[in-house]
């Protein structure tokens, strides 16, 4: 087990280097002109700016030399300057990361709650209308475009019914709490403002549901399959014959035995959440990495796009590693080569 | 898992309801793809009525901000989304299956190099990588398609490699080698025919996912250019006209139903070829 974890840890830097290399290659294909990837169209007419950028990124050198410079700049945290915000990309991304994390964690909670509930229901009432309905609901979640679902739910719940707030993280009239963690729910609590905290949670509901529904489908499918297998085992029969109530049998005896694969799929669903967050944030005016990436892509802001891609790749890589390691620790029977 | 062959079609003489519904939905959209000009009463690009009209008998799904008929545009949207999805998945399967089979059967340094490239590509959240590639290549439907192939082929490479590694160990392969069959012959005649079922099932489900991804790219402005009636960019128009809910309704339902259809078909095929998993 230790050897497996060790090997995965050793592979990490190489994968990160691979991510960086691929990102570097992307900068070399932009419009056939690498300069276009670091200097905005407006600055192109300014010979001084062009010369400064060329020197900083070594554009007058050969490709391998440029690669070395690129990696060296990255190691010092320099991902270039955004054309749009005119701030260093690294600074922008770090500033926006907490908002995305808050949304993704909330969506993960919503998605796993719905997913596990649906999976358990479907398995317990297998091949009944409840089962079919639960599976259909789950399938819709993985088939609907999140950006359209977000629009539709905003229209219905915020505009028509008026029971949930509109886009954003807080009421636009509210004074922002001092930024400490960047997580709105935590910062409002740290500021001791309970009313604002409730407002922040209220604003999280719709985007977290939109994003969570998408992964609930995957989770419920896996929970259903595992529950079906476990419910047929002898120890369930034993529990029932000892007089345990049905709820206790399902939750304490059956569900507990499906926890390891369930936690694993929730860990892997992180990728879908990061992908979905890009579009959800755009719809809900959520100031996270996703909307930053979309603004960057729309404005052909290459340093920002590449920066977000690298950070997203690394975040993704680390979560998958943590999931795998947690799986091995939780399930010592698995001997992953 | 059994091989995809006609005998297995005949052996099981029924199909499940989800599979039937899925096939019906996909067939419906296929017909629309071919017959959109005949089925719609208006030109998808011309201004044919007052702007932002709510649904009525003249315009079943209303009109958009430029006075174009949303229903006609939605029907024409199939002519972009479906062919692109098919091309992207076909190319990804071709590239991925070829490289995966080479890596699984021949192995060695080349095989390892392929798999490391696969690992790195799959290390990115797919949407972010597709956005980065599409933006680097420049906006446009062709570039979006290239970006999606770059994101998607590693999935098939990994799947195909796992299949080949598994089938390679079977006894009939050993027998073929013992009988003196050449290596390409063993791969083509004895291994590959047994590897296709999971690849095809996964490709069917991915058609839906590629339609979603293509629409997402268009939604953020990296896919189809403005006048094109593409579902993602139509929803983007709808987002700009937030209070005219009908502008985004048609394309949204179109994407939802067709992706649902492909998911049903993929699920159904999965159960069909692997009844144990039910």
């Amino acid at each position: 087990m230790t050897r497996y974890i060790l090997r995965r840890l050793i592979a990490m830097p190489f994968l990160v280097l691979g991510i960086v290399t691929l990102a570097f290659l992307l900068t070399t294909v932009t419009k056939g002109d690498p300069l276009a990837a670091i200097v905005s169209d407006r600055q192109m007419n300014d010979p001084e700016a062009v010369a400064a950028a060329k020197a900083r990124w070594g554009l007058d050198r050969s490709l391998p030399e440029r690669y070395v410079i690129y990696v060296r700049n990255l190691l010092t945290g320099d991902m270039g300057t955004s054309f749009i915000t005119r701030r260093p990309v690294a600074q922008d991304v770090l500033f926006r990361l907490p908002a995305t994390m808050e949304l993704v964690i909330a969506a993960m909670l919503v998605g796993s709650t719905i997913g596990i509930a649906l999976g358990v229901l479907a398995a317990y009432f297998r091949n009944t209308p409840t089962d079919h309905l639960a599976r259909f609901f789950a399938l819709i979640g993985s088939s609907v475009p999140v950006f359209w679902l977000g629009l539709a739910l905003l229209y219905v719940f915020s505009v028509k019914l008026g029971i949930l707030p509109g886009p954003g993280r807080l009421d636009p009239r509210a004074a922002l709490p001092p930024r400490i963690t960047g997580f709105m729910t935590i910062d409002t609590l740290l500021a001791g403002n309970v009313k604002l905290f409730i407002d922040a949670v209220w604003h999280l509901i719709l985007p977290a549901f939109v994003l969570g529904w998408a992964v609930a489908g995957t989770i419920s499918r896996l929970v259903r399959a595992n529950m079906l297998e476990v419910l047929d085992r002898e120890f369930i029969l034993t529990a029932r014959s000892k007089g345990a109530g049905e709820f206790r049998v399902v939750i304490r005896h059956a569900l507990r035995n499906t926890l390891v694969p369930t936690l694993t799929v929730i860990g892997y669903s992180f990728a879908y959440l990061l992908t979905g967050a890009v579009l959800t944030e755009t719809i809900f005016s959520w100031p996270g990495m996703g909307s930053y990436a979309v603004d960057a892509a729309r404005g052909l802001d290459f340093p920002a796009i590449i920066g977000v891609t690298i950070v997203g790749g690394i975040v993704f890589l680390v979560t998958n590693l943590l999931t795998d390691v947690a799986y091995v620790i939780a399930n010592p029977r698995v001997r992953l080569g | 898992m059994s091989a995809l062959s006609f005998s297995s079609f005949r052996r099981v003489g029924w199909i499940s309801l989800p599979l039937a519904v899925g096939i019906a939905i996909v067939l419906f959209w296929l017909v629309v793809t071919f017959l959109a000009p005949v089925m719609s009463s208006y030109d998808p690009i011309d201004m044919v009525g007052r702007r932002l009209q709510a649904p009525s008998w003249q315009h079943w799904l209303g009109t958009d901000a430029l006075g174009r008929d949303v229903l006609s545009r939605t029907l024409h949207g199939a002519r972009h989304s479906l062919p692109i999805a098919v091309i992207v998945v076909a190319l990804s399967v071709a590239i991925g299956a070829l490289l995966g089979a080479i890596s699984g059967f021949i192995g060695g340094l080349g095989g390892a190099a392929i798999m490391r490239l696969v690992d790195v590509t799959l290390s990115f959240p797919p949407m972010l990588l597709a956005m980065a590639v599409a933006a680097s290549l420049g906006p446009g439907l062709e570039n979006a398609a290239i970006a999606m192939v770059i994101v998607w082929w590693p999935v098939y490479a990994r799947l195909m490699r796992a299949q080949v590694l598994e089938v390679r160990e079977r006894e009939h392969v050993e027998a073929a080698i013992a009988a003196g069959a050449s290596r390409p012959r063993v791969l083509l005649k004895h291994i590959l025919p047994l590897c296709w079922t999971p690849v095809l099932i996964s490709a069917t489900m991915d058609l839906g996912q590629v339609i979603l991804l293509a629409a997402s790219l268009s939604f953020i402005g990296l896919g189809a250019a403005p006048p094109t009636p593409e579902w993602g960019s139509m929803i983007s128009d709808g987002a700009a006209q937030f209070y005219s809910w009908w502008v985004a309704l048609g394309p949204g339902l179109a994407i939802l139903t067709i992706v649902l259809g492909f998911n049903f078909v993929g699920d159904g095929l999965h159960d069909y070829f692997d009844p144990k998993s039910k």
Side-chain angles (χ1 to χ4, degrees), chain A residues 14-15 18-19 22-23 26-27 29-31 135-136 139-140 142-145 147-148 151 154-155 159 221 224 228 271 274-275 278-279 282-283 289-290 293-294 297-298 300 302 305-306 308-310 312-314 316-317, chain B residues 116-117 119-129 131-133 135-139 205 209 212 215-216 219-222 232 235-236 238-239 242-245 248-249 251-253 255-256 259-260 263-264 267 271 278:
Chain A
F14 293 100
L15 280 171
I19 287 179
L22 211 62
L26 277 181
T27 66
V29 298
T30 34
K31 291 186 193 165
R135 292 171 80 182
F136 187 64
L139 202 57
I140 297 248
S142 41
S143 305
V144 71
F147 48 99
W148 180 70
L151 276 179
L154 262 182
Y155 187 78
V159 177
R221 186 183 300 224
R224 180 181 180 274
L228 280 181
L274 271 184
T275 291
V278 171
L279 298 156
T282 317
I283 294 294
M289 259 172 63
V294 170
R298 279 180 177 156
L300 297 184
F302 293 106
I305 301 172
I306 303 296
V308 174
T309 310
I310 292 176
I314 292 173
F316 185 31
L317 206 59
Chain B
R116 293 298 82 76
L117 186 59
D119 288 344
V120 169
T121 315
L122 290 179
S123 299
F124 289 97
M127 177 72 194
L128 270 183
L129 183 60
M131 271 171 66
V133 179
S136 301
L137 296 174
M205 290 180 115
Q209 295 307 309
L212 270 181
S216 307
F219 175 75
I220 60 176
L222 288 174
I235 295 179
S236 169
F242 183 63
Y243 292 94
S244 308
W245 52 268
L249 183 69
L253 287 180
I255 300 176
L256 173 59
V259 177
L260 205 57
N263 278 339
F264 272 143
D267 255 8
D271 289 350
K278 255 194 276 191

